[in-house]
Amino acid sequence: MGSEQRGSGEHLLELVDVEAGYGRAALVLRGLTVRVPPASVVCLVGPNGAGKSTVLKVASGMLTPRSGRILVCGKDVTSRRPQQMLEAGLSHVLQGHSVFKEMTVAENVLLGAYTLRDRSEIADRVAYVKELFPVVAERWDALAGALSGGQQKQVEFARSLMVSPKVVLLDEPSMGLDPKATETVFAQVARMRDAGTAVLLVEQNARRALEVADLGCVLDLGRVHISGPASDLLADPQLGELYLGNRRSSTASSKTLKTGSQ
Ligand SMILES: Nc1ncnc2c1ncn2[C@@H]1O[C@H](COP(=O)(O)OP(=O)(O)OP(=O)(O)O)[C@@H](O)[C@H]1O
């Protein structure tokens, strides 16, 4: 087994040489390796259909890989079911809006605690998410449907944090939001990271997401095409033109970018 296939234990989450697809259709992920270090935001960018959301589905157990390994803190959790992945420390915030609009903010957030039995632990987590997301505290008893799209997204973040995950998997959190709400959501992603929860982030808004991220991976055709510090991806003129909508760019800093996996 090569070093690429062994878990280092230094990362919270590792997907190593993962191949995955849907049913009998062709593979979507073709030997992909992505690693999430502690207290970091790792952003996956790339063209439509590259397999970004599929990476998150594999990590949360919604899709079983055909080969490769998934490790959480060095422990092999490959092929576990969604609830077991949640228990291992991986919490998935799906694309689109998943709040229950006819329920209160409190009820929505507490749904994230359904696996917890200890009342004092639940109370501690409620206090934690209320502090992290002030709007959750302010609108605790309101119907979730009465909140704006950006506020509802923060309710989803709060729900995902109730189980004290090691890594939150965020799929397109800015989708459908106006620019102001998008800014709030990205600021909250940074706050989650700063408060100690690592984030694996998929975003169409690649430039803004890389500004928040520590590391970036450019996916293409189910593999990591380039990876490195997010600031270097942002500064790379070729990547800027191909993936970030730059017309032209001034600085090239490709020396810290790696072709392939992190
Ligand atoms: N449930 C599914 N069943 C069959 N094929 C699927 C399913 N979900 C995704 N795919 C296919 O897998 C490929 C990768 O999709 P995925 O959603 O992971 O890409 P993506 O990089 O997140 O794209 P986008 O930026 O458009 O969201 C696409 O060809 C897509 O059609």
Side-chain angles (χ1 to χ4, degrees):
M1 186 184 287
S3 62
E4 196 64 0
Q5 287 182 299
R6 276 197 297 271
S8 64
E10 292 162 18
H11 294 88
L12 297 179
L13 171 62
E14 297 173 83
L15 292 95
V16 183
D17 280 339
V18 166
E19 293 189 332
Y22 298 90
R24 295 179 182 202
L27 285 172
V28 173
L29 304 183
R30 303 157 186 265
L32 169 135
T33 297
V34 168
R35 295 188 165 91
V36 181
S40 66
V41 175
V42 178
C43 180
L44 305 179
V45 301
N48 290 119
K52 303 180 297 294
S53 296
T54 302
V55 174
L56 301 191
K57 288 182 200 164
V58 167
S60 67
M62 286 172 69
L63 185 66
T64 303
R66 293 191 199 161
S67 66
R69 297 201 305 151
I70 304 169
L71 302 121
V72 175
C73 298
K75 186 176 169 193
D76 197 325
V77 296
T78 314
S79 303
R80 292 199 184 173
R81 300 174 69 80
Q83 168 131 2
Q84 295 171 310
M85 288 302 206
L86 189 63
E87 286 162 3
L90 304 174
S91 190
H92 193 173
V93 179
L94 296 167
Q95 199 177 106
H97 294 288
S98 67
V99 294
F100 294 95
K101 295 185 184 204
E102 306 303 325
M103 292 165 62
T104 65
V105 168
E107 288 164 339
N108 271 279
V109 171
L110 288 168
L111 278 176
Y114 81 101
T115 55
L116 305 181
R117 293 283 163 266
D118 182 340
R119 280 170 183 265
S120 70
E121 185 185 357
I122 295 172
D124 286 350
R125 293 310 291 175
V126 166
Y128 176 78
V129 298
K130 280 182 167 177
E131 195 185 335
L132 203 56
F133 306 107
V135 72
V136 166
E138 286 154 21
R139 307 298 300 277
W140 189 243
D141 294 314
L143 283 182
L147 273 59
S148 70
Q151 291 171 334
Q152 289 183 24
K153 190 49 77 177
Q154 292 181 69
V155 172
E156 292 177 53
F157 289 177
R159 184 169 62 200
S160 77
L161 290 182
M162 286 301 288
V163 284
S164 311
K166 294 186 170 68
V167 182
V168 176
L169 312 165
L170 294 183
D171 198 346
E172 307 262 7
S174 78
M175 182 183 270
L177 301 182
D178 63 35
K180 193 167 165 228
T182 296
E183 275 316 301
T184 304
V185 160
F186 280 125
Q188 293 294 14
V189 170
R191 270 197 97 185
M192 274 198 263
R193 180 258 326 271
D194 296 344
T197 307
V199 176
L200 181 57
L201 172 66
V202 166
E203 255 297 329
Q204 285 290 340
N205 195 342
R207 170 164 294 284
R208 188 64 193 96
L210 284 170
E211 284 167 2
V212 171
D214 301 283
L215 298 169
C217 300
V218 179
L219 264 62
D220 209 355
L221 299 173
R223 286 197 188 92
V224 175
H225 177 49
I226 304 269
S227 64
S231 53
D232 291 349
L233 292 177
L234 280 167
D236 187 276
Q238 213 179 353
L239 290 179
E241 273 180 36
L242 281 173
Y243 300 110
L244 308 175
N246 287 7
R247 272 195 223 108
R248 69 192 170 83
S249 206
S250 51
T251 16
S253 60
S254 306
K255 60 181 184 299
T256 51
L257 296 177
K258 281 170 57 181
T259 304
S261 313
Q262 297 169 42

